[in-house]
Amino acid sequence: MTALSVLDLSPIVEGSNASQSLANSLDLARHAERLGYKRYWLAEHHNMPGIASAATAVVIAHVAGGTKTIRVGAGGIMLPNHAPLVIAEQFGTLAALHPGRIDLGLGRAPGTDMGTVRALRRNLEASDNFPQDVVELMGYFQPAEEGQRIHAVPGEGQKVPVWILGSSLYGAQLAAMLGLPYAFASHFAPAELDHALDIYRSRFQPSEQLDKPYAMLGLNVFAAPTDAEAKLLFTSLQQAFVNLRTGRPGRLPPPVEGYDQTLEPMAKTMLGQALSCAVVGSPETVRQGIDAFVRRTGADELMVTAQIFDHAARVRSFEILAEAHKSLSQAA
């Protein structure tokens, strides 16, 4: 049965702060571990008032230190923002602290706006070197070779699992060429999903890390006791998306009854496209929705995200999903 994992942006909700968000992330990770989720990933975003996971490696250390068995990682690190050696040292340190539990997902997008890109990178051509940077980074995790002058300490010999993240065909091609697992951002950019999967699976070349293609797909899941309650929870993400796409990023807003009725047609179309990979509803709706999504895509793993305003409702959503997934596994 397809594995389930969690993608967390450590949302900062209206009326709260980053300290509470980071505490909520650890609490959710502990629940995910108890519920049998495979991994818990955090994402790098910058200059975002509603996201507390900008210092991604630091938050991973916080979550991994407060859990015991669940894999913890980056979904992902935006590699052009960093020197490969620095990331090798950070994740080598995490792997030394939590052996066998750390994943490193790498993305090529900046995870922010262009002004912040300039503040982060200082070199706007950095993304052009993404394939070379990935290979360089992976090399730091290998055992040292004779005459090697630059070492990642910690990191050397750790062989931290590396993933390629993407929302276009570029990442699919690179993951296939390097023989790496591939995570597609279908939870917010699903347009190229089917084409990207075809390219990844058809062009995959086995590697030391992986002998056959392995695709993990992003999916929004908002689960509640009833369809109506779940749809209400979903309006927080819808509002956040409209705010972001109209240049007004902010903290995650509370749900609003009848929100879709207030939207302009253009905004409705945008949401319908960007958030088309979403399962929103009661336990039975969720069970049918994730089953249909997996059957359509052949996903090896689902990376589930839920930007829910109320933390207790967010935890409950992941509990309902775990129960639905369990019932599908038993029926298989």
Side-chain angles (χ1 to χ4, degrees):
M1 182 63 189
T2 303
L4 282 183
S5 293
V6 179
L7 175 63
D8 182 16
L9 305 185
S10 199
I12 305 173
V13 305
E14 289 183 8
S16 189
N17 54 50
S19 295
Q20 186 60 56
S21 298
L22 295 169
N24 288 346
S25 288
L26 177 54
D27 183 67
L28 180 60
R30 287 171 170 161
H31 282 287
E33 183 173 74
R34 172 181 59 82
L35 293 165
Y37 285 84
K38 187 171 184 176
R39 55 187 108 236
Y40 195 97
W41 280 10
L42 294 128
E44 176 186 348
H45 291 276
H46 300 279
N47 198 29
M48 296 284 190
I51 296 176
S53 55
T56 315
V58 179
V59 185
I60 290 170
H62 168 63
V63 170
T67 52
K68 296 177 180 178
T69 58
I70 194 169
R71 299 191 67 89
V72 187
I77 291 292
M78 302 298 106
L79 189 55
N81 296 342
H82 313 276
L85 177 61
V86 171
I87 299 303
E89 291 170 341
Q90 289 179 0
F91 280 78
T93 301
L94 288 167
L97 289 168
H98 310 284
R101 293 182 56 207
I102 300 300
D103 298 323
L104 174 53
L106 299 173
R108 178 172 169 257
T112 189
D113 59 272
M114 290 309 297
T116 309
V117 167
R118 283 188 285 272
L120 283 166
R121 294 181 181 171
R122 305 300 172 102
N123 172 14
L124 298 185
E125 285 73 49
S127 62
D128 296 338
N129 299 322
F130 183 62
Q132 297 93 318
D133 286 350
V134 171
V135 172
E136 178 185 342
L137 173 52
M138 292 172 62
Y140 290 127
F141 291 137
Q142 297 298 315
E145 297 181 357
E146 186 175 349
Q148 183 174 330
R149 297 181 60 190
I150 301 174
H151 304 261
V153 183
E156 192 168 85
Q158 293 275 14
K159 295 188 176 180
V160 175
V162 170
W163 294 65
I164 298 296
L165 278 58
S167 58
S168 68
L169 307 184
Y170 185 99
Q173 295 170 13
L174 182 61
M177 181 177 70
L178 297 178
L180 296 175
Y182 180 50
F184 190 88
S186 34
H187 59 294
F188 73 90
E192 297 282 3
L193 172 59
D194 295 328
H195 194 184
L197 287 176
D198 287 344
I199 287 176
Y200 173 61
R201 289 165 175 158
S202 63
R203 300 185 187 180
F204 183 85
Q205 300 177 28
S207 67
E208 179 184 350
Q209 181 173 329
L210 196 63
D211 61 356
K212 61 182 180 180
Y214 191 94
M216 176 162 61
L217 308 182
L219 183 66
N220 296 288
V221 178
F222 287 67
T226 67
D227 286 349
E229 290 175 75
K231 289 176 181 176
L232 179 61
L233 296 178
F234 190 50
T235 63
S236 290
L237 178 61
Q238 291 175 315
Q239 293 174 75
F241 237 90
V242 170
N243 292 342
L244 179 64
R245 293 290 177 91
T246 54
R248 299 176 292 114
R251 297 186 176 187
L252 186 69
V256 172
E257 290 277 5
Y259 176 67
D260 59 339
Q261 298 169 15
T262 69
L263 288 170
E264 298 290 334
M266 187 176 295
K268 277 189 178 181
T269 300
M270 181 273 291
L271 287 177
Q273 293 171 346
L275 303 181
S276 62
C277 290
V279 177
V280 181
S282 65
E284 180 57 25
T285 300
V286 167
R287 192 185 72 82
Q288 293 178 12
I290 61 172
D291 186 44
F293 185 74
V294 170
R295 289 179 185 276
R296 183 177 78 78
T297 61
D300 298 293
E301 189 169 338
L302 297 181
M303 179 59 74
V304 177
T305 185
Q307 297 277 79
I308 294 175
F309 181 83
D310 179 72
H311 181 63
R314 191 173 183 226
V315 170
R316 182 61 183 138
S317 179
F318 280 100
E319 289 175 341
I320 291 171
L321 173 58
E323 291 163 6
H325 180 260
K326 184 178 179 181
S327 71
L328 284 172
S329 300
Q330 292 171 341

